[in-house]
Amino acid sequence: MDSQALTWSHVAISLIAIASGFGVVYGLFHSSRMPRTTQMFLVTTFLTSLTGFIFFRRDQLLPSHITGVIALIVLVPTCFALYMRKLAGAWRRIYVIGAVISLYLNVFVLVVQLFLKVPALHALAPNAPANPEPPFKIVQGVVLVLFIAAGYFAVKRFRPDGVVQLAPART
């Protein structure tokens, strides 16, 4: 496979992860587990990081590598909470926060790539992300605030049926 085909494969996987991730967050707002969409999101998010490491090897550590490592680290407790702990007790919150952070990291990278590849955005911030100008910082700041708000509301609203809610310990 040539490098352009690898790049397009990575981009397609990433976009599927983002689209399915928005579906998962929508489900969280409505206390819906959305198992197929969730599985697609988690798998494609994992594959996004994996293909980033495999397809785009570099001799030095780049911010994209750090983001990929963080994404993989976040996926571990997220998947554990969902599949092993079945969202019981505090694991519901861990899952929700992990899912939202995973989607945020995908969108964060998408914004970086848009500023690098889309001429109109690149013209607004030609040195981003290495030396980010205000337009880049503003967009990333707005994205971060929206995801913090989404995470907050998702934690508050996600109460799927059949999940064991552990009572707080009495003192």
Side-chain angles (χ1 to χ4, degrees), residues 27 32 46 50 69 71 85 107 127 141 143:
S32 175
F46 171 77
L50 185 65
V69 168
R85 302 305 296 174
V107 172
N127 298 312
V143 168

Side-chain angles (χ1 to χ4, degrees), residues 54-111:
I54 294 171
F55 294 171
F56 310 106
R57 294 178 187 232
R58 301 284 190 258
D59 293 334
Q60 75 266 20
L61 184 66
L62 299 174
S64 58
H65 296 122
I66 295 168
T67 304
V69 168
I70 292 168
L72 291 171
I73 290 169
V74 169
L75 280 175
V76 171
T78 304
C79 292
F80 185 79
L82 179 62
Y83 295 115
M84 302 302 290
R85 302 305 296 174
K86 308 290 186 203
L87 305 175
W91 291 103
R92 176 192 59 82
R93 181 173 292 139
I94 291 167
Y95 163 71
V96 171
I97 292 169
V100 173
I101 290 172
S102 293
L103 178 58
Y104 166 72
L105 291 171
N106 285 334
V107 172
F108 174 85
V109 172
L110 174 64
V111 171

